[in-house]
Amino acid sequence: MKFYARRIAFYVVTLWATISLNFLLPRLLPGDPADILLAKMQRAGGELNETTVRNIKALLGGDTSSMWEQYVAYWGRMLQGDLGVSVTKYPTPVTELIAAALPWTVILVGIATVISFVLGVGIGAWVGWRRGTWVDHLVPFTTVLQSIPYFWLALVLVAIFSVALGIFPIFGGYDVWEFPNGPEWSWDFIGSAIYHGFLPALTIVLSSVGGWLLGMRNMMVSTVSEDYIITAEAKGLKPMRILRTYATRNAAIPSIAGFSISLGFVVAGSIVMEQVFTYPGIGKLMIQSVQNSDYALMQGVFLVITVAVLAANFIMDIVYGFIDPRARHNV
Amino acid sequence: MIRNAKRRAALIAVAGTAILGIGLSGCAGGGGDDDSDSEGRTLRVWAGSQTPIEANFNPFSPSVLHAALGPIYEPLFFYNKTADDTPAPMLGESYEYNEDGTVITVKLKEGVKWNDGEDFTADDAAFTFNYEPNHRDGLISAEATDESTVVLTYETPQFTNEFQILGTTWMLPEHIWSEVDDYTTFTDEEPVGTGPYVVDTVTDASYTVVANEEFRDEGVPAIKKLQYIGIDANQSAQDLLTAGELDWTGMFVPNPDSITSKGVISMLNTPQDPTVLYTCANAELGCTGPQTDVAVRQALNVAIDRGTIKEKAFVGLTGDISPTFALLPRDQKWVGDPANEISPQSPDAAAAGEILEAAGYAKGGDGFYAKDGAPLELSLISVDGWTDYNDAAKLISEQAAEAGIKVNASTVQWQEFSDARQTGQYQLIMGGVIGTSVADPFQIYKDWFAGESTSQVGEEVPSGRWNFSRYDNPVVNEAVAAAAATDDEAAKQEAYAALQAEIVRDLPYIPLVINATQTFFNTKDFTGWPTEDDLYAFPPAWGSVASGYVLQHLEPVK
């Protein structure tokens, strides 16, 4: 039990520290949101009259209370589930923005991450098993895909499949022309959402499958040279049984740990993907908040991401204790 | 409107699990559109809104959606910023100043209704001018003297504020807005205006407006439905235009031919806003660096190759700038000295050298000028990612080097740029000057050149003013005050001539080009757009007031 108590205490302290940092960091950044918003509007349209300027200054004027008072108020509000009001989408509450964006990101990036994990580990196990044959060529191929800058890959796929061939849509989470009233319960809408999510998901899978594949393949190669595999072979077990029951299960343990961490990051979304495809997710909120010094939104998004990563790690710590008993004793 | 996050989450969960099940096969073909049925087709607009879209039609809010400004709410008169026209009536019929410019009497159109069926009255107009955020410029009173007349009385002459008062003050229905507690947090999700459109639906990804049945003119608007969408990347908007899925937008596209070559979308370029080098010019207010010497600014001015900058950095789309900051040909009558119509387009390194040598600089062995042992070296910043500005800065650096002036161009983050220009802690910045919305450069002179619009280095310039160069010249200040107090064209021209002589010599902002403003619209399915020959309004989809005015002129192609 001592193992679990220590882990829980560790996570509580980490959570407190990250939330406090989350409070502090935006306040250390330079720049006045009102001024930034004004200059942005000037660059975009050039039509700013004095009324607008005065209103913006009135709305976004700095908070004059002391840092400590702000910190206490911050915790008070957060414990009530109030993350403040967004400046860029004034006066929409941050929680509303995040609640609207989160499902899109979690489902799309989540599914893409699972697919790329399953594919990567599966193919990696096979490639490791058949090491030294032609299948080894898969490794450099997928790592090249991974090393291509993500935005470039995404833009190329959009240019080919969406603009030139017109097979896939260019932007959005669903067809805004066909569903001007927003999401609805219908097969048409679900089909539209899947259709719009396909290319973004594909780009994520293409660019991340190589990592899983390489890690799994190498782990497989070292596992296959272990004594118990040789014993199993000597006893005349079927190769497929050795591959599945003996080698893959043990070789996959480090990948599973990595997988849990990347599941935590699913919440952070894929910032570039969401920007390229105008996908209604959380990574885009993060960019917008940082660009506009929208402190409340920034803190809200970082908070959700931090908590998700910590939670994923925590669950993995617990689960790992079961999968691999060595972990419990070595702590 | 669906705002229930739980329901949406459940919906998407179903969609997600279905990905694995049905795959892609059953649902291809969702993106195509029926172009043959152009009559009654929805006009699709991108006015720069980013996702997620949040319903907010409050014209006082910084996050107001574009459809509110013109298509829904309207001011009294429409001012065409692209030409020297008299203002066109919107809700006002005519207006009149008293002798000294302190009282404006406005006659309103009769028979105008709000989109909820109530009558628009002079009381509504008076309420609007008295409404807190509009109450400014020393307004003494706004009164409805009869059914269709409103009288505005001010402390000081308002000749130069005419556009702000009559052209940008959105008329509000008293029966709605008198109930609003706090206009800063009011989101106005069902706006009641007099414009040609009313809000239909708003979602995260787009919002739709439909024709206002109560609109004052018969048969207007001819386009019954508009859908404004949210897009985050200019590239996506460009792709949508190319694919024929978007009908109207305003944005910078360096290679417009790729969009217009299919004959569906046309482009109209209406350069409006000057791009300049801000120089922190005034040593008395605390500016430091070689650029505080007027000779250095003059030398830079003649050393710059504006023709090359236009072609290479701005792909030939910008207009030629006048050092008087009058927008030509619109403001032709305000240019005092014909010699100042246009800044030199080709460089003259020799002339730059002469100016510097006359001011006591000498060329060193490295080919760069120096004075009293101090090398002539300047830093020039531009915002990282504004590639047109970054390229122009690089070109300027090369061109200055030809003339023996060392300019170190670098890029900075937005915030650094913003801080530097606000506080005056910079030497040279690539920046923009807000153009004027009427055919008169007065607003630029007052906001960018007058001493009252600046402050000490280290302090921010006054709110709503933009004199970042810290320029403060008594002749200019006097001319601005004189022009503000008169409605006499000759007196104003005289004041401007005096002012222009000062700023053309002192160059607190070194003029470069007039920035392009590109508008893309679908001329195959819709007619009535502004054209090069009939520029009746500023055309971009984001233009406030103007976009509503353009929409009243559009018709579907039969």
Side-chain angles (χ1 to χ4, degrees):
Chain A
M1 238 19 243
K2 208 175 154 204
F3 165 72
Y4 294 110
R6 268 189 1 218
R7 297 314 295 160
I8 289 168
F10 170 78
Y11 278 104
V12 168
V13 172
T14 314
L15 193 63
W16 168 80
T18 47
I19 292 176
S20 301
L21 261 182
N22 192 17
F23 164 81
L24 205 59
L25 284 179
R27 283 169 176 74
L28 298 177
L29 293 173
D32 167 15
D35 187 40
I36 287 163
L37 190 58
L38 283 175
K40 279 250 160 72
M41 289 169 80
Q42 181 199 338
R43 161 85 171 166
E47 290 180 34
L48 275 183
N49 59 50
E50 282 176 41
T51 318
T52 320
V53 173
R54 217 176 49 189
N55 285 331
I56 290 174
K57 289 273 183 190
L59 289 176
L60 309 181
D63 188 344
T64 49
S65 54
S66 79
M67 208 63 155
W68 175 248
E69 284 166 356
Q70 289 183 43
Y71 181 64
V72 172
Y74 167 73
W75 269 101
R77 281 197 311 272
M78 209 177 53
L79 292 176
Q80 294 167 14
D82 175 7
L83 297 178
V85 169
S86 163
V87 165
T88 33
K89 300 287 172 189
Y90 192 84
T92 315
V94 166
T95 40
E96 199 179 294
L97 289 171
I98 292 178
L102 206 52
W104 291 98
T105 295
V106 168
I107 290 170
L108 180 79
V109 184
I111 289 176
T113 306
V114 170
I115 291 176
S116 103
F117 175 74
V118 170
L119 276 181
V121 168
I123 300 174
W126 181 58
V127 172
W129 185 251
R130 305 281 307 276
R131 68 197 176 282
T133 65
W134 65 270
V135 294
D136 267 348
H137 297 308
L138 274 177
V139 175
F141 176 68
T142 54
T143 42
V144 162
L145 275 182
Q146 189 178 20
S147 62
I148 292 173
Y150 177 80
F151 73 93
W152 190 80
L153 180 71
L155 285 175
V156 166
L157 289 180
V158 169
I160 295 173
F161 291 105
S162 301
V163 180
L165 298 177
I167 302 175
F168 287 106
I170 293 164
F171 83 114
Y174 58 91
D175 192 329
V176 294
W177 310 127
E178 241 164 77
F179 301 95
N181 301 330
E184 60 182 51
W185 276 111
S186 71
W187 285 110
D188 276 354
F189 177 77
I190 293 168
S192 175
I194 295 169
Y195 177 50
H196 279 69
F198 186 83
L199 203 56
L202 181 69
T203 55
I204 296 177
V205 171
L206 280 181
S207 65
S208 63
V209 75
W212 299 119
L213 195 153
L214 184 67
M216 186 62 194
R217 184 237 172 227
N218 292 347
M219 205 55 211
M220 196 70 181
V221 168
S222 70
T223 308
V224 163
S225 60
E226 296 275 349
D227 288 346
Y228 60 87
I229 301 286
I230 297 170
T231 312
E233 279 171 348
K235 283 162 81 179
L237 292 180
K238 283 188 185 141
M240 281 325 270
R241 185 180 156 93
I242 299 174
L243 168 66
R244 287 205 210 99
T245 330
Y246 290 72
T248 306
R249 277 173 70 168
N250 283 301
I253 287 177
S255 296
I256 289 171
F259 179 60
S260 77
I261 292 169
S262 60
L263 271 190
F265 280 106
V266 159
V267 171
S270 173
I271 295 174
V272 184
M273 180 277 284
E274 289 178 7
Q275 197 68 17
V276 169
F277 292 95
T278 305
Y279 204 78
I282 208 139
K284 207 183 52 213
L285 287 182
M286 184 147 78
I287 292 199
Q288 282 179 358
S289 65
V290 172
Q291 281 174 344
N292 297 307
S293 293
D294 189 344
Y295 294 155
L297 185 56
M298 210 187 296
Q299 286 172 340
V301 171
F302 287 160
L303 181 74
V304 169
I305 294 170
T306 315
V307 170
V309 173
L310 278 179
N313 275 288
F314 179 65
I315 292 168
M316 198 53 221
D317 257 3
I318 307 287
V319 172
Y320 214 73
F322 288 111
I323 304 179
D324 192 349
R326 288 171 298 183
R328 255 177 315 193
H329 300 295
N330 292 346
V331 174
Chain B
M1 187 185 344
I2 293 184
R3 294 214 156 265
N4 186 329
K6 271 188 196 148
R7 188 178 149 203
R8 189 172 1 206
L11 189 68
I12 298 160
V14 174
T17 40
I19 284 189
L20 301 169
I22 18 181
L24 184 67
S25 53
C27 44
D33 282 290
D34 196 4
D35 275 312
S36 57
D37 178 27
S38 60
E39 174 132 35
R41 177 153 100 63
T42 303
L43 180 78
R44 294 141 163 195
V45 188
W46 184 49
S49 302
Q50 296 202 326
T51 60
I53 284 174
E54 293 293 334
N56 186 341
F57 295 94
N58 172 357
F60 301 112
S61 170
S63 40
V64 59
L65 294 173
H66 281 91
L69 308 177
I72 293 169
Y73 285 108
E74 295 179 308
L76 293 173
F77 292 90
F78 170 69
Y79 289 78
N80 179 7
K81 71 192 262 182
T82 61
D84 189 4
D85 292 345
T86 48
M90 280 191 116
L91 292 172
E93 188 73 61
S94 63
Y95 63 93
E96 206 176 350
Y97 276 93
N98 70 342
E99 188 87 348
D100 62 358
T102 54
V103 177
I104 313 174
T105 308
V106 185
K107 279 268 172 226
L108 303 174
K109 275 188 185 166
E110 299 197 20
V112 175
K113 283 186 187 305
W114 296 103
N115 64 33
D116 62 355
E118 302 258 343
D119 287 331
F120 166 73
T121 64
D123 286 328
D124 286 319
F127 166 81
T128 301
F129 283 104
N130 282 316
Y131 196 60
E132 191 196 334
N134 286 330
H135 202 352
R136 50 154 198 206
D137 295 328
L139 178 73
I140 294 171
S141 70
E143 279 176 290
T145 52
D146 64 48
E147 285 291 286
S148 61
T149 311
V150 65
V151 178
L152 308 170
T153 313
Y154 292 87
E155 286 165 9
T156 53
Q158 297 298 315
F159 295 123
T160 50
N161 290 329
E162 182 185 312
F163 167 69
Q164 272 76 16
I165 295 166
L166 301 178
T168 68
T169 307
W170 308 101
M171 290 298 122
L172 307 172
E174 185 174 6
H175 64 280
I176 306 280
W177 282 76
S178 58
E179 312 277 307
V180 174
D181 294 331
D182 179 4
Y183 73 89
T184 57
T185 54
F186 180 48
T187 50
D188 198 15
E189 294 185 28
E190 286 163 3
V192 175
T194 54
Y197 290 92
V198 292
V199 173
D200 185 33
T201 49
V202 182
T203 72
D204 272 5
S206 74
Y207 60 104
T208 307
V209 297
V210 294
N212 172 12
E213 298 302 331
E214 306 279 352
F215 193 67
R216 55 187 176 269
D217 295 340
E218 199 64 37
V220 177
I223 311 287
K224 298 300 176 199
K225 204 171 186 184
L226 311 182
Q227 191 180 0
Y228 287 79
I229 59 159
I231 304 176
D232 293 334
N234 269 17
Q235 183 62 44
S236 305
Q238 191 179 337
D239 292 343
L240 287 169
L241 276 171
T242 311
E245 298 200 23
L246 202 60
D247 300 314
W248 188 17
T249 183
M251 61 178 186
F252 181 71
V253 175
N255 50 339
D257 291 348
S258 64
I259 293 173
T260 56
S261 60
K262 288 181 185 165
V264 176
I265 304 290
S266 303
M267 198 255 307
L268 187 57
N269 183 16
T270 46
Q272 279 280 326
D273 297 312
T275 291
V276 300
L277 285 182
Y278 302 154
T279 72
C280 192
N282 191 345
E284 277 172 34
L285 284 179
C287 292
T288 54
Q291 84 289 349
T292 54
D293 184 349
V294 66
V296 171
R297 302 199 293 273
Q298 289 170 342
L300 257 180
N301 184 48
V302 295
I304 291 171
D305 182 351
R306 291 181 177 78
T308 303
I309 291 172
K310 176 181 181 178
E311 286 313 315
K312 287 194 175 164
F314 296 100
V315 290
L317 291 166
T318 52
D320 295 340
I321 198 166
S322 162
T324 63
F325 286 83
L327 181 68
L328 297 179
R330 185 192 74 179
D331 302 342
Q332 189 71 50
K333 68 178 177 204
W334 300 121
V335 177
D337 181 353
N340 292 333
E341 268 189 14
I342 171 174
S343 286
Q345 296 298 302
S346 44
D348 190 344
E354 280 166 26
I355 295 170
L356 290 173
E357 275 158 26
Y361 291 83
K363 214 173 206 171
D366 57 356
F368 291 105
Y369 281 96
K371 188 180 189 181
D372 307 329
L376 180 44
E377 189 169 355
L378 293 149
S379 78
L380 164 60
I381 58 176
S382 57
V383 177
D384 193 30
W386 293 6
T387 48
D388 47 351
Y389 278 23
N390 302 155
D391 293 347
K394 244 181 278 169
L395 289 168
I396 289 169
S397 169
E398 288 164 18
Q399 293 157 3
E402 295 272 312
I405 306 169
K406 195 177 237 173
V407 174
N408 303 314
S410 62
T411 61
V412 295
Q413 289 306 305
W414 169 268
Q415 320 234 345
E416 275 176 76
F417 155 78
S418 180
D419 285 350
R421 71 171 198 172
Q422 272 295 349
T423 60
Q425 278 144 356
Y426 68 92
Q427 296 187 326
L428 299 173
I429 292 179
M430 281 290 307
V433 167
I434 304 176
T436 52
S437 300
V438 284
D440 183 340
F442 177 79
Q443 212 62 37
I444 290 183
Y445 295 157
K446 178 180 151 211
D447 290 348
W448 294 79
F449 289 93
E452 58 175 300
S453 304
T454 196
S455 57
Q456 281 279 342
V457 167
E459 290 168 24
E460 296 200 349
V461 300
S463 169
R465 303 299 180 81
W466 317 96
N467 189 347
F468 301 122
S469 81
R470 269 67 195 172
Y471 188 60
D472 189 3
N473 177 334
V475 179
V476 170
N477 299 346
E478 218 170 278
V480 167
T486 180
D487 199 25
D488 178 31
E489 200 168 287
K492 231 164 148 184
Q493 277 168 336
E494 197 183 319
Y496 286 180
L499 180 154
Q500 288 168 0
E502 298 294 310
I503 64 171
V504 170
R505 184 195 64 231
D506 289 347
L507 295 162
Y509 306 93
I510 299 174
L512 296 173
V513 293
I514 304 283
N515 227 357
T517 308
Q518 289 164 282
T519 304
F520 295 89
F521 38 58
N522 181 334
T523 44
K524 179 172 156 274
D525 299 328
F526 303 96
T527 64
W529 301 103
T531 60
E532 201 93 41
D533 301 323
D534 181 17
L535 208 51
Y536 63 83
F538 187 53
W542 45 258
S544 85
V545 195
S547 67
Y549 195 72
V550 169
L551 285 168
Q552 296 178 30
H553 290 73
L554 293 187
E555 279 177 26
V557 171
K558 298 272 155 41

